[in-house]
Amino acid sequence: MLILSRKRGQSIIINNSIEIIVTGIEGDQVKIGIVAPLEMNIIRKEVLDDVRSINQKSITSEGDMESLMEWSKRTKKNKKK
């Protein structure tokens, strides 16, 4: 893992096509902006982990519609923030 220190307004470039910019620092939270080609999918890791978990449960028949609905509600609430 590469660990870099950046200040507000500074950025890093990945693969000459993705720029990650520190747009703000508030307490223990860092706000970042991402500039990337439109064909690149950008998703928060916790959302991806939730989707993978639900998919795995559905494959093993452990999941149920109620769990899926709860996840959907949590995801919608997070989008509004």
Side-chain angles (χ1 to χ4, degrees), residues 3-21:
I3 299 175
L4 301 171
S5 296
R6 302 279 74 204
K7 295 178 182 177
R8 184 178 293 120
Q10 293 181 327
S11 63
I12 61 171
I13 305 292
I14 299 171
N15 203 28
N16 291 322
S17 62
I18 302 168
E19 182 176 14
I20 310 232
I21 308 158

Side-chain angles (χ1 to χ4, degrees), residues 8 22-32:
R8 184 178 293 120
V22 177
T23 61
I25 303 168
E26 298 173 9
D28 64 348
Q29 216 173 36
V30 176
K31 293 185 179 184
I32 60 170

Side-chain angles (χ1 to χ4, degrees), residues 1-2 7 9 16-17 19 22 24 32-33 36 41-42 48 54 59 62 70 74 76 79-81:
M1 173 189 309
L2 173 64
K7 295 178 182 177
N16 291 322
S17 62
E19 182 176 14
V22 177
I32 60 170
N41 292 325
I42 301 171
L48 184 60
I54 288 170
I59 290 170
E62 293 176 13
E70 288 176 20
R74 284 195 319 268
K76 286 179 184 177
K79 283 184 179 180
K80 292 179 182 178
K81 290 182 180 182

